[in-house]
Structure formats: structure tokens, C-alpha cells
């Protein structure tokens, strides 16, 4: 399961953060049901002044350690795969068997079908382009500027529905998140995390039990 494979990365990040003497009193890593949590203990009188610095150090350490760890892949845009949270940030990590390709190759068929369906929205979408990033796929829609505001919600609704339907059809993929809404709002649309499941293997909950 992911946590065991990722424990080494978490411990190295925790240790680096704890080494920020003068700022961090202690750093504690906690293993949750389907995640890891790193908590920093900082003097209350300096937290506001050094909050951004500590977040910057934590993100840099995590990026560097995931890059070194062949069994892990940080999911998200190459520019910023992190999700802002009230007390810091979060991110999604996929575990990749050694020598195996990262999720993109398995998920390419789903991406192409969703892209094609969105491009078929004639009168709204001029073109739809799928781009393969380091640890993610990105689908970009090109829409006339004068109609984007009026049809933005409709296009997001169509995209989410298409993605849900195609992932359901594709036995090698599992959409991670709550049943009600597994999507993460983003400035120009939405994002989501997808796990690759070997054919015949149980999907997410049983696999991660």
C-alpha cells in the first residue's frame, strides 16, 4: 500500500523541516488511514512572519524527495501540484511499481475520449487539446471569449460527466475522491486524481484497506 512505500519520503521531509532550528521546535509525521500528515510545532510569536518560508521549504523538500523516490509520483500540474489548506497545504501522491510507467500511459485512452467529446461541442468549443505532463494530463478547451462566461458552467458539467463515465468504463482506472464530488476546483476549471488499477484487481477501497 502507498503509505509503506512513501514512509521513507515522509521521514526525510519531516527531518529536513525539523532541522530548521530557531523556527521549528519539532516536526511530527502521523500515518492516517489513507494519507500522511506532517505537523510543525512553531513558536506562536513567529509563525506569521515565517509561515510562507516554512511552506516554501516544505514544498521544495517534498518535490525533491518524490523526485528521488522511484516508487512515487506527485500528482498535479508541474508548476504547482499543491492544494492550499487552512494550516498549510496538501497534495496527492501515486505509488508506481519499479520499472512501471506512470499512470498517464494507462489513462491515455480515457483522456482522448473525454477530449473528443468536449471538442464535439460545436458552437461552443473551437478545439480541445490534451497535453501529457510529467505526472498528469491536462485538457485545454479553446472557446470564443464572448461566450465563455455564459457557458463556463455548462462546459465544466459536460467535462465532469464525460470523465466520470469514461473512468467507469475503463477498468484500469479509479477516480479518487468522495462519491459526491471527486473534483478539485481550479482557477481555469477543475482537477482530479486518478489511480491506475491492474486488470482484475479490486478498485480503491479494498486495494487500500
Amino acid at each position: 500500500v502507498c503509505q509503506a512505500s512513501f514512509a521513507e519520503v515522509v521521514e526525510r521531509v519531516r527531518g529536513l523541516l525539523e532541522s530548521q532550528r530557531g523556527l521549528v521546535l519539532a516536526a511530527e509525521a502521523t500515518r492516517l488511514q489513507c494519507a500522511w500528515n506532517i505537523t510543525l510545532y512553531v513558536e506562536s510569536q513567529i509563525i506569521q512572519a515565517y509561515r510562507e518560508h516554512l511552506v516554501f521549504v516544505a514544498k521544495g523538500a517534498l518535490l525533491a524527495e518524490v523526485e528521488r523516490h522511484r516508487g512515487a509520483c506527485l500528482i498535479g500540474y508541474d508548476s504547482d501540484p499543491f492544494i492550499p489548506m487552512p494550516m498549510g497545504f496538501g497534495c496527492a501522491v501515486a505509488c508506481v511499481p519499479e520499472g512501471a510507467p506512470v499512470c498517464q500511459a494507462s489513462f491515455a485512452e480515457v483522456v482522448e475520449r473525454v477530449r473528443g467529446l468536449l471538442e464535439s461541442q460545436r458552437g461552443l468549443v473551437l478545439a480541445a487539446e490534451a497535453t501529457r505532463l510529467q505526472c498528469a494530463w491536462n485538457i485545454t478547451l479553446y472557446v470564443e471569449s464572448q461566450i465563455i462566461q455564459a457557458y463556463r458552467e455548462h462546459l465544466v458539467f459536460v467535462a465532469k460527466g464525460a470523465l466520470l463515465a469514461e473512468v467507469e468504463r475503463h477498468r484500469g482506472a479509479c477516480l479518487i475522491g468522495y462519491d459526491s464530488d471527486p473534483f478539485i476546483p481550479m482557477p481555469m476549471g477543475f482537477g482530479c486524481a486518478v489511480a491506475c488499477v491492474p486488470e482484475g484487481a479490486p478498485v480503491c477501497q479494498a486495494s487500500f484497506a
Side-chain angles (χ1 to χ4, degrees):
V1 177
C2 276
Q3 293 120 317
S5 172
F6 198 55
E8 186 181 343
V9 170
V10 171
E11 178 53 32
R12 284 202 295 260
V13 173
R14 186 207 64 76
L16 187 144
L17 292 169
E18 195 169 62
S19 72
Q20 302 289 301
R21 298 300 180 191
L23 296 179
V24 178
L25 301 175
E28 182 181 75
T30 309
R31 183 171 172 171
L32 308 177
Q33 185 178 359
C34 288
W36 283 94
N37 186 54
I38 298 178
T39 304
L40 303 188
Y41 297 92
V42 182
E43 292 283 3
S44 58
Q45 61 266 31
I46 68 168
I47 184 62
Q48 290 304 318
Y50 290 95
R51 181 188 178 93
E52 288 189 15
H53 168 74
L54 290 172
V55 168
F56 177 81
V57 171
K59 288 180 177 180
L62 189 55
L63 284 167
E65 292 301 335
V66 169
E67 185 71 21
R68 287 178 54 191
H69 190 73
R70 293 184 181 179
C73 170
L74 197 59
I75 297 172
Y77 295 103
D78 289 346
S79 59
D80 190 356
F82 304 108
I83 304 162
M85 300 181 78
M87 298 296 289
F89 65 90
C91 60
V93 178
C95 293
V96 185
E98 191 170 354
V102 180
C103 284
Q104 295 119 316
S106 171
F107 199 54
E109 186 182 343
V110 171
V111 172
E112 179 52 33
R113 284 202 295 261
V114 173
R115 187 207 64 77
L117 187 143
L118 292 169
E119 195 170 61
S120 72
Q121 303 288 301
R122 297 299 179 193
L124 296 179
V125 178
L126 301 175
E129 181 181 76
T131 308
R132 182 171 173 172
L133 307 177
Q134 185 180 356
C135 289
W137 281 95
N138 188 50
I139 298 178
T140 304
L141 303 189
Y142 297 92
V143 182
E144 292 284 1
S145 58
Q146 62 266 30
I147 66 169
I148 183 62
Q149 290 304 318
Y151 290 95
R152 181 188 178 93
E153 288 190 16
H154 168 74
L155 290 172
V156 168
F157 177 80
V158 171
K160 288 180 177 179
L163 189 55
L164 283 168
E166 292 302 335
V167 169
E168 185 70 21
R169 287 178 54 191
H170 190 72
R171 293 185 181 178
C174 169
L175 195 59
I176 298 172
Y178 298 104
D179 289 344
S180 58
D181 190 355
F183 303 109
I184 304 162
M186 301 183 78
M188 298 297 288
F190 65 90
C192 61
V194 178
C196 295
V197 184
E199 192 169 353
V203 182
C204 295
Q205 295 104 324
S207 174
F208 279 87

